[in-house]
Amino acid sequence: MTILITGATGQLGRLVIDSLLTRGADPQTIVAGARNLSKAADLAARGIRVVTLDYDDAASVSAALDGVDSVLLISGSEVGKRTPQHKAVIDAAKAAGVTKLVYTSAPKATTSDLVLAPEHKATEELIAASGIPAVILRNNWYTENYVESVSQAASTGVLAASAGDGKVASASRRDFADAAAVVLLEDGHIGEVYELGGDVAWDFSELAAAIAEVVGRPVEYKALSSEEHAAGLAAAGLDDGTIGFLTTLDADIRGGALADTDDTLARLIGRPTTPLLEGLRAAV
């Protein structure tokens, strides 16, 4: 069985390939799709077939999927462009007769108010309409998303956010990569929609304490209103679009959009998820 990984040179894509190989996949059965082939030279050196795959170039997507059995569609990074980009992959997968499509979505994508959910909802609907046998991985937040917060707190001693006492059930990117590898290699997952998150949901006071352990100095969580947060981001020179996104995201966290957790991810990967402190230390 041939497995295509889209976005293979990204952080998640590389970890999925590592996990596939660790779990015994033959390198020659893995196809790495990359927009820039020069960034995939190390993958080719490991015996993995590397192909051009640009979400914005339908011809490259079709060519990449030729002869492929399974596809991991890693959601694109360009917010606002992802639905048509994902559609190109879904359409090509349908035409190629793909027998398993795995998609990295967002928590409760079809019902959540999370600012990132709409494009994931649209993609899940496209997958359902295509009729391709599929597995949906609704990944919660990556612990690595807070690496910049670690860097800032190291110099300021402050973690500033408008997330209130909202909780985040984050896990490490490797945890989510392992889950993707499992469902790609194993039978029995078709039709499943997995809500994946860390074993423990933490709040921002706990995040500040974990960051303090990493940087070796006290770190205070400064809880801001959305307006205070926006003003601080503006003073730091961020544009209006970014400010709106970040304050809306924190409001979503405050409302519980990323708080749910159970043992689904741990069960899939066969081990506990990576604790917050351990994940932060590994990321920095």
Side-chain angles (χ1 to χ4, degrees):
M1 178 174 290
T2 304
I3 301 171
L4 171 70
I5 310 299
T6 73
T9 57
Q11 292 172 305
L12 181 62
R14 287 183 178 279
L15 289 173
V16 172
I17 290 173
D18 286 345
S19 187
L20 288 170
L21 294 173
T22 298
R23 294 171 187 274
D26 184 340
Q28 295 183 357
T29 66
I30 301 173
V31 183
R35 180 178 296 181
N36 185 341
L37 294 185
S38 65
K39 294 182 179 180
D42 62 313
L43 299 176
R46 301 171 74 179
I48 295 165
R49 182 159 65 93
V50 176
V51 297
T52 300
L53 194 158
D54 184 338
Y55 289 139
D56 294 320
D57 180 355
S60 77
V61 176
S62 295
L65 269 76
D66 185 36
V68 167
D69 300 300
S70 298
V71 175
L72 173 63
L73 171 53
I74 295 176
S75 55
S77 60
E78 298 174 281
V79 176
K81 296 179 62 176
R82 292 190 287 190
T83 302
Q85 290 176 335
H86 297 166
K87 185 177 186 301
V89 178
I90 295 164
D91 290 347
K94 176 73 172 179
V98 164
T99 57
K100 182 188 288 186
L101 174 64
V102 180
Y103 174 61
T104 61
S105 190
K108 298 182 179 178
T110 55
T111 58
S112 175
D113 293 329
L114 182 68
V115 64
L116 293 170
E119 288 179 301
H120 292 292
K121 177 178 185 291
T123 300
E124 288 192 23
E125 290 171 346
L126 289 169
I127 292 170
S130 75
I132 302 170
V135 187
I136 305 299
L137 304 179
R138 291 180 172 170
N139 293 349
N140 205 308
W141 224 228
Y142 300 145
T143 297
E144 291 86 348
N145 290 344
Y146 293 98
V147 167
E148 181 62 29
S149 297
V150 174
S151 176
Q152 292 174 352
S155 59
T156 65
V158 173
L159 171 68
S162 53
D165 58 1
K167 290 180 176 288
V168 178
S170 75
S172 74
R173 192 176 274 112
R174 185 172 296 279
D175 295 336
F176 293 111
D178 283 346
V182 166
V183 300
L184 285 166
L185 292 173
E186 291 184 352
D187 295 329
H189 299 285
I190 295 296
E192 296 289 349
V193 177
Y194 291 122
E195 297 283 351
L196 302 180
D199 295 337
V200 176
W202 46 263
D203 62 26
F204 276 64
S205 292
E206 293 167 308
L207 175 59
I211 292 174
E213 289 287 330
V214 173
V215 302
R217 63 168 294 178
V219 175
E220 172 197 3
Y221 170 42
K222 186 175 183 181
L224 306 172
S225 67
S226 293
E227 293 75 19
E228 290 169 334
H229 195 186
L233 294 171
L238 275 67
D239 62 89
D240 289 345
T242 301
I243 292 170
F245 174 80
L246 292 175
T247 54
T248 300
L249 176 61
D250 272 16
D252 291 340
I253 292 172
R254 194 168 65 239
L258 299 179
D260 289 352
T261 185
D262 59 27
D263 67 348
T264 303
L265 178 54
R267 178 170 50 82
L268 276 177
I269 64 180
R271 59 172 174 79
T273 61
T274 306
L276 174 63
L277 177 56
E278 182 181 331
L280 289 175
R281 280 181 169 153
V284 298

